[in-house]
Structure formats: structure tokens, C-alpha cells
Amino acid sequence: MQFKYFGMDKKEIKNKFKYLIDLMKLEKAADLAQYKSKMTNTSLIERRKSGVCWYPVMLEKSHFDTGERLLVKVSRSNEHKDSHMFQSGKLVSLFSNAGRNDEESESVNAVVNYVREHEMMITLNSNDFPDWMHDGKLGIQLLFDENSYLEMDKTLRYLRDTDNERINYLIQVLLGSSDATFDVKSPIKVQELNESQNQALNMVLQAKDLAIVHGPPGTGKTTTLVHAILEVLKSESQILVCAPSNAAVDLLVEKLSEKEVNVLRIGHPARVTEKILSSTLDARVARHESYKDLKFIRKQEEDYRKLARKYKRNFGPAERQQRNLLFSEAKKLKEEGDHLAFYISSDILSKSQVIASTLVGANNQLLRGLKFKTVFIDEAAQALEPATWIPILKSERVIFAGDHHQLPPTIKSYEAAKLGLEVTLFEKAIERKSADVMLREQYRMHETIMNFSSNYFYNNQLIANTKVKNWKIFHDDLPLEFIDTAGTGFFEQVDAETLSSFNPEEAQLVLKHLSQYLSAIKYNSSLNFVNDIGIISPYKAQTTLLQEAISNDDMFTDEIKGKMAINTVDSFQGQERDIIYISLVRSNENGEIGFLSDTRRMNVAMTRARKKLVIFGDSATIGQHPFYNKLLDYVNEVGAYRSGFELLYY
């Protein structure tokens, strides 16, 4: 049957995806160039300083988890405070410089489970722990992940050339040249959901091809998504659930598992918790009724290989024949084991209600050829368009969830971003406003903290739930303060190595205010009311400076330090704290604010706070930008403005 192209003809569709292919070539080239600049012809010390290597590291622990995976925990010295680029889910290499001093031969690939300031947990892509692991002089460095680019390129080329009728129709709907369609059904009402959440739920249930859950900060997007998945499972036996990051996938897996949904987590989970591990393929295989048989076959295979390897190079025909027989038997056992492993995996897969993976992980070999009626894609506004298409190709309809007014996808190529790669498929799909519902009631923050973002980003549609509307740390506290450093002479500086901006005097003012505020809390209530404190800056150099200053400051007890998290905006995405301090850093005579002009980052930073938000910035520098000019107007309106001079001389 000849497919009828709706708003776009076939040539236009081809050109759109050809253009994306070209943009991804720019992105890959920029990513690879950055990687090579940090890795090629550089010493381990130089790599450590550039953030792509931890060396040396101490081996803290190595063990098998419940999924039979090889976990290794390492730590680095407290003296090594270099910023780094390691994140959960990243590909790395564990290597040793002991013995032959050969990184290539004495190394094994791995994936980062989690990373903290001075410790990291990784999972080895190996059948056993390497012998050299206990020889000392260990290091971990980042690897370039080419697989993601290969998968995205393959997907884009398929989209460019396909004549598949359903896929081409989805292209029309998602790129905005055709309207999404819906089945009219009697609406349902879930008691745990509010009005807008129920509207979103019913839109999902009625959607034939596309539905979008627009979830501003604190509005219960994940809760809505979980209930939508539960309702869809009443009519569909299996659903695909994806997100761009491991952490986002794992959160959904955890929430669905709590609802007793049979979830299979494909790929590498970012967090090592029993809730997540029990849903992984490795753990499910280890619990399968046929696993003992598989383990026995694998043991026999290894035994035959060990016997064969005992024969030396100089031996006669009889010994050679015996070795060949042993290797032949090992090969037969391997084939038998592979068949059984495939059966076990297929059995687990067929019985799972939800298959969960990252976007690129949806092309896992185990899922090749599988089709789903529905795919849910969470955090879709943070996903590169080429990656977003990967799970869509496996589905008849797509449910997006996210917020395009929060953090965008990370793009390495400035050129590719400006040429259009920074625009996500979520943004293109939501633009027509024909298939989206915005969640409007938020459960996180005081109304005064919420209102500026609501006005600026969400057409003043957000409302604070009654439980959070007026909550504070103590009765007479101000939920919002803006500390203006204009005129103080606190000018920004630039780190010579990282080129990241920092402002030492502003950092000291942050600590002074925090110390005074903690004293006020102690006087007015109790420190038990402070569950957690977040200190955020858009600039890594400033967060490093603040971390060092607080760790060396006797004004703060170990208990208080234990309640603090200090990091960049990106690291706080999806999190919340009772108290949030934001250090904007930029202070110069030219009004230059760099990537502070990406107002979505500021939206994320400000909406992490539940009960108290304190922002430090130079009004003379930032006030020339329309966003910050309106922010300054707002803090004046609500009585939140305070001059930095008040703090300096108090």
C-alpha cells in the first residue's frame, strides 16, 4: 500500500533526518576531540587534573552481587580534590601500572555504578576478577562510548529511508505536521491523583499515537507516570519504559516495583540497591529455575578448558589429540550453555510486564525484533532527538513525560547545538499544544519560592498544595532572600586550567549568611527541622571552592556538614532540599553572564528548595538580562531583597 505523506512529503522527511545525521557527525567529532585532548600524549597526572582519570586508587572491596555481577569499590586520596567527569553509567577502564606497567594489557572495561567525592563503585565487564587487581598502582579512566553514536546513526538512517506506514505517520505527528488522534472513552478518576494528574492519565489512556505529560518541578510527574503505566497494563501485556539517563530509569523501576509490577531492567542500573538489582536481567537469571543447570554447564566448560591449557607447547600427537578433544568438548558445552542462557533470558523477557532501559539501551540485543504497543519516555526534554527515536521505532504510540523549561540535553558541539541539535523531539511535539496536559499542583515548595517560576515559565498556572503553600523552617523566617553583591567589589575570577568562573568573596559571604541562618534556626526552633541543605552554583570552580571552604570551617559541625550537598545545577536535577543557597558568581563591569543566560538552569536551581531559598548575585551584572531583571523586580515585590553590605558589616 502506498503511504500517503501528510504535511511533509517523502523528500522533506529524508532531508530532515539527513540533516540530523550531519549534526550528529559534528557532535561525535566534538565529543571525540574533547576525549582525545584529555587522553592522547598526556600523563596520568595530567589526565587526573582534566577530570578523566582517578590515579592512584585504593581497592576497597570486590565481590559478586546477587545478580552474579563483579563489583569493585575503589577510593582516592582526600588530597586529590580535582574535579572529574565520572558519572553513573559511564564506560571506564580499570587498569594497573604494576608489573609490566602496561595499561593496555593490564586493564578491564567496566561501567560506573555510582561515584562520590572520593569513592567509586564499578561493575566489571568480565567473567572474573583480574589477577593483577591486587598488585597495586590501580587507576580508573573514562572510555569513549562510540556505541551510542552507532545506534543513533543507524536509527536516523532507518528513519530517513523507511517506507513503514506506521513509523512515517508517527514522524508526521511528532514533528508537528499532523495532529495526534484520540479515542473518546469514559474518563476514569484515580483517588491518589489530583485534577490535572487525572487529566494527564486520561489523555494517555485515550491517545492513539502521542500523549505528553508536561511536569513542572514538584508536580508529581513520576507519580502520574507510574499510575498511567498501571492503567495501561490492564489492557496491554507488556510495555517499554525508557529515559535518557540510568538514574531516571532506575527511579521508575523502583516506583513500579513498589507497586508489585513485574519489571525487567535491561542494561546497567546506576544505583546498587536491592530494589533495582532484583529487577535486573542478571539477578533474574540467577533466580531462574534453570540457572543451576546453566551454572553446572559453565563449570564443566571451564574445567575442560583448564585441562586443555595444561598441555605444554612441546608435546606429541597423542597429547595434541587429547587437547583438541578437551577443547572440542568445551566448545560443545559452551554452545549448550548459550542455548540454555538464551532460553532463560527469553523466558524472563516474555513474563515481564514492563521492560525498562535507557533510550540507547532499547536496542539491546535481547530486545532486537520486539515490538510494543506503547513506549513511555520519561525526562524526554533532556534527550537528544536521535536517541529518542530508538525506542519509538519499537512502538505503535509514544507517551512523553518531561519539562522543556528545565535542563536541556548535554551537547558537546556548540555548532551542532546552534544548528538545531539542542531542540528536542519533546519540544517539537509539544509545540502545537494538541496532545499535552500540564500538571499544575506542586507539592514541593513554599508559594513564594514557586511563584516566580510559575509566572515566568508556566503562564502563572502553578498552584501550591495546601501542605506546602506556607511551610517554613521557622515561624518568622523569610522563604526567599536575594543577597545583592553589587558595589562590594566581589569580582569573578577564572580558573586557569578549567576556565570555570569562581568568586571567592561571594563564597565567603554565602558561608557567613549560612552560619547566621543556622544560628537563627537554633534560636527559633531546632536543628532537627533541617533535614538537608543544598548549595548550588552554575560553575564547577565555585562549588569546588565552597566544598573546600566548608570542610575547613570550624563554624559548621560535622552533623551540619553531613546534611550539606554542594554541587552544580546539573547534579541537582530531580533533587530537592529544605534549604537551597545559590551562588551566581558572575560579577564584572561588562554585564557578561555566560551560560547564566540559559534560564532553564536557573529554573532548576531555584525550584530545588522546599522551605528556604537564598540567592547571591550582582544585580548590576545580571540585571541587564530580561530574566534576571524580572527576578530582581520579583524579590523587591515580595520583600526578599537584601544588600550584601548588610552582611559584610553585621
Side-chain angles (χ1 to χ4, degrees):
M1 180 170 63
Q2 180 64 37
F3 175 71
K4 178 185 177 184
Y5 291 89
F6 292 81
M8 294 182 287
D9 60 23
K10 190 168 185 176
K11 183 178 180 182
E12 190 176 355
I13 287 177
K14 275 183 170 290
N15 287 338
K16 279 183 178 290
F17 288 111
K18 182 180 181 300
Y19 187 67
L20 265 182
I21 290 168
D22 292 338
L23 292 185
M24 286 307 298
K25 287 178 181 176
L26 291 174
E27 174 66 4
K28 181 182 177 181
D31 194 4
L32 184 58
Q34 288 181 30
Y35 176 80
K36 286 182 175 178
S37 71
K38 292 179 172 67
M39 302 297 289
T40 306
N41 298 321
T42 57
S43 68
L44 289 173
I45 304 304
E46 288 172 319
R47 293 178 211 171
R48 189 178 75 197
K49 287 183 177 180
S50 65
V52 295
C53 180
W54 278 18
Y55 181 85
V57 295
M58 295 291 294
L59 179 63
E60 298 290 342
K61 186 179 181 183
S62 60
H63 67 286
F64 288 90
D65 65 15
T66 55
E68 297 284 308
R69 299 181 312 163
L70 283 67
L71 295 182
V72 173
K73 183 180 179 181
V74 299
S75 65
R76 63 174 180 168
S77 168
N78 289 338
E79 297 173 4
H80 297 158
K81 297 179 180 179
D82 309 283
S83 60
H84 61 80
M85 300 165 64
F86 291 93
Q87 297 174 10
S88 60
K90 287 280 190 180
L91 292 177
V92 296
S93 170
L94 173 70
F95 64 88
S96 171
N97 265 350
R100 287 170 296 171
N101 193 31
D102 186 349
E103 289 177 37
E104 293 298 323
S105 60
E106 294 192 348
S107 67
V108 60
N109 290 355
V111 180
V112 177
N113 288 60
Y114 69 79
V115 58
R116 300 191 178 119
E117 187 177 358
H118 291 295
E119 68 179 34
M120 193 187 308
M121 180 79 81
I122 62 175
T123 299
L124 302 187
N125 295 332
S126 173
N127 294 323
D128 205 351
F129 295 106
D131 296 334
W132 47 259
M133 200 170 71
H134 299 277
D135 294 343
K137 294 189 177 180
L138 292 177
I140 295 180
Q141 59 190 19
L142 284 172
L143 293 175
F144 184 72
D145 183 12
E146 189 167 21
N147 180 63
S148 297
Y149 288 106
L150 292 173
E151 295 293 353
M152 286 188 279
D153 183 71
K154 184 166 61 177
T155 296
L156 291 174
R157 291 178 187 279
Y158 175 84
L159 288 161
R160 181 193 62 187
D161 300 329
T162 185
D163 287 321
N164 181 286
E165 183 175 347
R166 183 61 188 170
I167 294 300
N168 277 300
Y169 178 70
L170 278 176
I171 290 170
Q172 301 283 353
V173 173
L174 289 166
L175 295 181
S177 57
S178 294
D179 286 330
T181 56
F182 298 86
D183 274 330
V184 179
K185 298 178 181 178
S186 298
I188 67 168
K189 185 175 182 179
V190 175
Q191 285 299 121
E192 299 98 304
L193 301 183
N194 62 42
E195 182 182 352
S196 61
Q197 289 172 332
N198 270 305
Q199 287 175 2
L201 171 65
N202 281 285
M203 180 190 61
V204 168
L205 297 178
Q206 295 175 18
K208 287 184 176 182
D209 31 59
L210 170 67
I212 303 171
V213 180
H214 181 192
T219 54
K221 172 178 62 69
T222 302
T223 299
T224 307
L225 214 55
V226 167
H227 278 284
I229 291 168
L230 293 174
E231 289 298 325
V232 171
L233 282 172
K234 292 178 181 179
S235 58
E236 298 177 24
S237 60
Q238 196 171 73
I239 294 170
L240 180 61
V241 173
C242 297
S245 69
N246 280 295
V249 178
D250 290 344
L251 178 61
L252 281 171
V253 170
E254 188 174 323
K255 297 298 182 185
L256 289 167
S257 298
E258 289 172 359
K259 298 290 185 181
E260 298 185 348
V261 175
N262 185 342
V263 186
L264 178 61
R265 173 65 159 98
I266 299 295
H268 182 82
R271 295 177 298 185
V272 186
T273 67
E274 284 302 316
K275 286 182 180 178
I276 301 301
L277 277 179
S278 62
S279 299
T280 63
L281 181 61
D282 289 341
R284 297 275 290 278
V285 166
R287 296 199 306 270
H288 195 274
E289 59 187 5
S290 298
Y291 179 66
K292 286 184 180 178
D293 296 334
L294 177 62
K295 203 169 184 179
F296 178 72
I297 292 169
R298 296 299 194 206
K299 177 69 168 58
Q300 280 189 307
E301 177 198 346
E302 184 57 29
D303 287 345
Y304 276 109
R305 290 191 187 280
K306 283 181 179 178
L307 283 171
R309 291 190 196 107
K310 285 183 178 179
Y311 287 95
K312 306 298 181 185
R313 288 187 178 182
N314 298 318
F315 51 81
E319 288 83 2
R320 182 176 287 105
Q321 183 181 11
Q322 183 63 23
R323 188 179 79 156
N324 290 339
L325 285 171
L326 289 169
F327 274 130
S328 177
E329 192 61 32
K331 184 180 178 182
K332 289 177 185 176
L333 286 166
K334 183 182 185 305
E335 290 173 353
E336 184 181 347
D338 288 346
H339 285 303
L340 183 55
F342 178 78
Y343 160 74
I344 293 171
S345 296
S346 299
D347 187 48
I348 292 168
L349 190 66
S350 65
K351 293 174 181 175
S352 300
Q353 294 173 284
V354 170
I355 310 296
S357 76
T358 59
L359 299 172
V360 174
N363 256 358
N364 186 286
Q365 189 173 358
L366 192 66
L367 303 183
R368 296 278 162 87
L370 281 186
K371 296 293 182 182
F372 303 85
K373 182 175 180 182
T374 305
V375 58
F376 284 81
I377 300 180
D378 194 15
E379 303 294 359
Q382 281 189 268
L384 285 173
E385 180 179 342
T388 309
W389 283 108
I390 293 173
I392 293 174
L393 291 186
K394 297 179 176 295
S395 315
E396 293 181 28
R397 66 176 189 148
V398 57
I399 313 300
F400 281 146
D403 180 14
H404 52 304
H405 298 306
Q406 295 189 62
L407 289 181
T410 300
I411 298 175
K412 302 292 176 67
S413 168
Y414 177 81
E415 184 183 0
K418 292 308 169 190
L419 288 172
L421 191 59
E422 65 183 355
V423 183
T424 64
L425 191 55
F426 180 95
E427 289 179 86
K428 293 176 182 178
I430 202 173
E431 189 176 346
R432 300 187 72 187
K433 299 292 181 185
S434 63
D436 66 292
V437 169
M438 189 178 85
L439 307 180
R440 295 184 295 277
E441 187 172 357
Q442 69 84 16
Y443 299 83
R444 176 181 298 166
M445 67 201 95
H446 190 286
E447 187 176 44
T448 303
I449 299 172
M450 174 199 76
N451 276 339
F452 178 75
S453 285
S454 178
N455 294 342
Y456 193 89
F457 294 102
Y458 306 108
N459 298 317
N460 206 25
Q461 292 186 56
L462 297 186
I463 56 171
N465 179 268
T466 53
K467 290 183 179 178
V468 306
K469 184 176 181 178
N470 295 307
W471 67 356
K472 300 177 182 179
I473 299 295
F474 55 86
H475 183 265
D476 295 325
D477 193 19
L478 289 174
L480 173 63
E481 290 183 59
F482 181 88
I483 313 299
D484 189 1
T485 63
T488 59
F490 294 176
F491 290 119
E492 68 194 61
Q493 300 177 38
V494 176
D495 184 282
E497 288 188 5
T498 65
L499 302 181
S500 178
S501 298
F502 64 101
N503 193 320
E505 291 87 0
E506 184 173 287
Q508 287 302 314
L509 203 63
V510 169
L511 300 194
K512 186 172 184 180
H513 185 286
L514 178 57
S515 177
Q516 291 178 1
Y517 182 60
L518 291 173
S519 297
I521 295 172
K522 197 170 185 179
Y523 177 78
N524 286 281
S525 56
S526 164
L527 280 179
N528 293 330
F529 282 87
V530 181
N531 294 319
D532 38 33
I533 303 166
I535 304 179
I536 303 175
S537 177
Y539 295 94
K540 185 66 178 176
Q542 186 77 343
T543 63
T544 301
L545 183 67
L546 286 161
Q547 286 166 353
E548 292 175 355
I550 284 179
S551 65
N552 297 323
D553 199 323
D554 295 334
M555 288 192 300
F556 304 107
T557 65
D558 289 341
E559 181 187 3
I560 288 296
K561 290 176 184 178
K563 293 178 178 180
M564 287 188 198
I566 306 168
N567 222 320
T568 58
V569 182
D570 297 51
S571 300
F572 271 93
Q573 171 88 347
Q575 300 183 45
E576 55 190 76
R577 297 286 189 274
D578 279 350
I579 301 166
I580 287 287
Y581 278 66
I582 303 174
S583 174
L584 297 180
V585 175
R586 300 307 295 262
S587 179
N588 56 72
E589 295 175 348
N590 302 319
E592 295 174 357
I593 63 171
F595 61 73
L596 284 187
S597 58
D598 185 348
T599 56
R600 291 174 293 184
R601 275 192 164 77
M602 196 60 186
N603 185 35
V604 170
M606 292 168 62
T607 55
R608 300 310 95 195
R610 298 188 194 109
K611 303 175 183 178
K612 178 76 171 183
L613 173 63
V614 187
I615 305 171
F616 290 75
D618 181 342
S619 63
T621 299
I622 66 173
Q624 298 175 46
H625 189 283
F627 172 87
Y628 295 99
N629 187 43
K630 288 189 176 182
L631 176 61
L632 291 167
D633 287 343
Y634 178 73
V635 297
N636 274 303
E637 286 170 17
V638 299
Y641 179 87
R642 187 177 176 188
S643 171
F645 286 105
E646 295 178 41
L647 272 177
L648 279 176
Y649 302 110
Y650 176 72

PDB file of all heavy atoms in Angstrom, residues 368-379:
ATOM      1  N   ARG A 368      16.063  -6.968  20.316  1.00  0.00           N
ATOM      2  CA  ARG A 368      16.037  -6.883  18.858  1.00  0.00           C
ATOM      3  C   ARG A 368      14.815  -7.631  18.311  1.00  0.00           C
ATOM      4  O   ARG A 368      14.564  -8.779  18.671  1.00  0.00           O
ATOM      5  CB  ARG A 368      17.316  -7.478  18.259  1.00  0.00           C
ATOM      6  CG  ARG A 368      18.586  -6.721  18.632  1.00  0.00           C
ATOM      7  CD  ARG A 368      18.792  -5.505  17.736  1.00  0.00           C
ATOM      8  NE  ARG A 368      19.726  -4.562  18.307  1.00  0.00           N
ATOM      9  CZ  ARG A 368      21.055  -4.610  18.160  1.00  0.00           C
ATOM     10  NH1 ARG A 368      21.590  -5.579  17.478  1.00  0.00           N
ATOM     11  NH2 ARG A 368      21.810  -3.669  18.690  1.00  0.00           N
ATOM     12  N   GLY A 369      14.064  -6.953  17.456  1.00  0.00           N
ATOM     13  CA  GLY A 369      12.903  -7.590  16.840  1.00  0.00           C
ATOM     14  C   GLY A 369      11.621  -7.484  17.644  1.00  0.00           C
ATOM     15  O   GLY A 369      10.545  -7.785  17.130  1.00  0.00           O
ATOM     16  N   LEU A 370      11.706  -7.057  18.907  1.00  0.00           N
ATOM     17  CA  LEU A 370      10.498  -6.947  19.735  1.00  0.00           C
ATOM     18  C   LEU A 370       9.721  -5.691  19.382  1.00  0.00           C
ATOM     19  O   LEU A 370      10.294  -4.654  19.058  1.00  0.00           O
ATOM     20  CB  LEU A 370      10.863  -6.906  21.216  1.00  0.00           C
ATOM     21  CG  LEU A 370      11.210  -8.226  21.905  1.00  0.00           C
ATOM     22  CD1 LEU A 370      11.383  -7.990  23.390  1.00  0.00           C
ATOM     23  CD2 LEU A 370      10.148  -9.281  21.671  1.00  0.00           C
ATOM     24  N   LYS A 371       8.395  -5.777  19.455  1.00  0.00           N
ATOM     25  CA  LYS A 371       7.521  -4.637  19.217  1.00  0.00           C
ATOM     26  C   LYS A 371       6.592  -4.456  20.416  1.00  0.00           C
ATOM     27  O   LYS A 371       6.181  -5.424  21.047  1.00  0.00           O
ATOM     28  CB  LYS A 371       6.683  -4.854  17.942  1.00  0.00           C
ATOM     29  CG  LYS A 371       7.502  -4.938  16.664  1.00  0.00           C
ATOM     30  CD  LYS A 371       8.165  -3.601  16.337  1.00  0.00           C
ATOM     31  CE  LYS A 371       8.949  -3.676  15.039  1.00  0.00           C
ATOM     32  NZ  LYS A 371       9.647  -2.399  14.741  1.00  0.00           N
ATOM     33  N   PHE A 372       6.273  -3.204  20.716  1.00  0.00           N
ATOM     34  CA  PHE A 372       5.393  -2.872  21.827  1.00  0.00           C
ATOM     35  C   PHE A 372       4.286  -1.956  21.317  1.00  0.00           C
ATOM     36  O   PHE A 372       4.497  -1.173  20.393  1.00  0.00           O
ATOM     37  CB  PHE A 372       6.167  -2.150  22.935  1.00  0.00           C
ATOM     38  CG  PHE A 372       7.336  -2.924  23.467  1.00  0.00           C
ATOM     39  CD1 PHE A 372       8.571  -2.860  22.825  1.00  0.00           C
ATOM     40  CD2 PHE A 372       7.217  -3.720  24.597  1.00  0.00           C
ATOM     41  CE1 PHE A 372       9.660  -3.564  23.308  1.00  0.00           C
ATOM     42  CE2 PHE A 372       8.298  -4.429  25.086  1.00  0.00           C
ATOM     43  CZ  PHE A 372       9.522  -4.355  24.442  1.00  0.00           C
ATOM     44  N   LYS A 373       3.128  -2.050  21.940  1.00  0.00           N
ATOM     45  CA  LYS A 373       2.081  -1.103  21.568  1.00  0.00           C
ATOM     46  C   LYS A 373       2.427   0.290  22.083  1.00  0.00           C
ATOM     47  O   LYS A 373       2.230   1.289  21.383  1.00  0.00           O
ATOM     48  CB  LYS A 373       0.722  -1.544  22.118  1.00  0.00           C
ATOM     49  CG  LYS A 373      -0.389  -0.595  21.694  1.00  0.00           C
ATOM     50  CD  LYS A 373      -1.761  -1.063  22.125  1.00  0.00           C
ATOM     51  CE  LYS A 373      -2.818  -0.065  21.655  1.00  0.00           C
ATOM     52  NZ  LYS A 373      -4.179  -0.444  22.085  1.00  0.00           N
ATOM     53  N   THR A 374       2.979   0.352  23.333  1.00  0.00           N
ATOM     54  CA  THR A 374       3.226   1.656  23.965  1.00  0.00           C
ATOM     55  C   THR A 374       4.634   1.749  24.509  1.00  0.00           C
ATOM     56  O   THR A 374       5.131   0.808  25.130  1.00  0.00           O
ATOM     57  CB  THR A 374       2.233   1.888  25.126  1.00  0.00           C
ATOM     58  OG1 THR A 374       0.901   1.756  24.637  1.00  0.00           O
ATOM     59  CG2 THR A 374       2.414   3.277  25.732  1.00  0.00           C
ATOM     60  N   VAL A 375       5.275   2.891  24.288  1.00  0.00           N
ATOM     61  CA  VAL A 375       6.526   3.212  24.972  1.00  0.00           C
ATOM     62  C   VAL A 375       6.314   4.487  25.781  1.00  0.00           C
ATOM     63  O   VAL A 375       5.750   5.462  25.289  1.00  0.00           O
ATOM     64  CB  VAL A 375       7.707   3.386  23.994  1.00  0.00           C
ATOM     65  CG1 VAL A 375       7.452   4.466  22.962  1.00  0.00           C
ATOM     66  CG2 VAL A 375       8.999   3.701  24.762  1.00  0.00           C
ATOM     67  N   PHE A 376       6.721   4.454  27.040  1.00  0.00           N
ATOM     68  CA  PHE A 376       6.755   5.641  27.896  1.00  0.00           C
ATOM     69  C   PHE A 376       8.186   6.150  27.923  1.00  0.00           C
ATOM     70  O   PHE A 376       9.118   5.386  28.212  1.00  0.00           O
ATOM     71  CB  PHE A 376       6.322   5.296  29.327  1.00  0.00           C
ATOM     72  CG  PHE A 376       4.848   5.113  29.506  1.00  0.00           C
ATOM     73  CD1 PHE A 376       4.226   3.917  29.158  1.00  0.00           C
ATOM     74  CD2 PHE A 376       4.057   6.128  30.034  1.00  0.00           C
ATOM     75  CE1 PHE A 376       2.864   3.741  29.331  1.00  0.00           C
ATOM     76  CE2 PHE A 376       2.698   5.963  30.208  1.00  0.00           C
ATOM     77  CZ  PHE A 376       2.094   4.765  29.859  1.00  0.00           C
ATOM     78  N   ILE A 377       8.378   7.436  27.629  1.00  0.00           N
ATOM     79  CA  ILE A 377       9.718   8.034  27.668  1.00  0.00           C
ATOM     80  C   ILE A 377       9.713   9.170  28.686  1.00  0.00           C
ATOM     81  O   ILE A 377       9.105  10.220  28.455  1.00  0.00           O
ATOM     82  CB  ILE A 377      10.153   8.544  26.285  1.00  0.00           C
ATOM     83  CG1 ILE A 377      10.174   7.384  25.276  1.00  0.00           C
ATOM     84  CG2 ILE A 377      11.531   9.201  26.368  1.00  0.00           C
ATOM     85  CD1 ILE A 377      10.590   7.785  23.875  1.00  0.00           C
ATOM     86  N   ASP A 378      10.375   8.941  29.823  1.00  0.00           N
ATOM     87  CA  ASP A 378      10.457   9.951  30.877  1.00  0.00           C
ATOM     88  C   ASP A 378      11.664  10.859  30.628  1.00  0.00           C
ATOM     89  O   ASP A 378      12.610  10.475  29.934  1.00  0.00           O
ATOM     90  CB  ASP A 378      10.578   9.264  32.236  1.00  0.00           C
ATOM     91  CG  ASP A 378      10.325  10.218  33.392  1.00  0.00           C
ATOM     92  OD1 ASP A 378       9.787  11.319  33.148  1.00  0.00           O
ATOM     93  OD2 ASP A 378      10.660   9.866  34.547  1.00  0.00           O
ATOM     94  N   GLU A 379      11.636  12.055  31.220  1.00  0.00           N
ATOM     95  CA  GLU A 379      12.700  13.055  31.042  1.00  0.00           C
ATOM     96  C   GLU A 379      13.009  13.275  29.561  1.00  0.00           C
ATOM     97  O   GLU A 379      14.160  13.473  29.160  1.00  0.00           O
ATOM     98  CB  GLU A 379      13.979  12.626  31.789  1.00  0.00           C
ATOM     99  CG  GLU A 379      13.801  12.392  33.282  1.00  0.00           C
ATOM    100  CD  GLU A 379      13.451  13.665  34.060  1.00  0.00           C
ATOM    101  OE1 GLU A 379      13.366  14.744  33.451  1.00  0.00           O
ATOM    102  OE2 GLU A 379      13.255  13.560  35.279  1.00  0.00           O
TER     103      GLU A 379
END
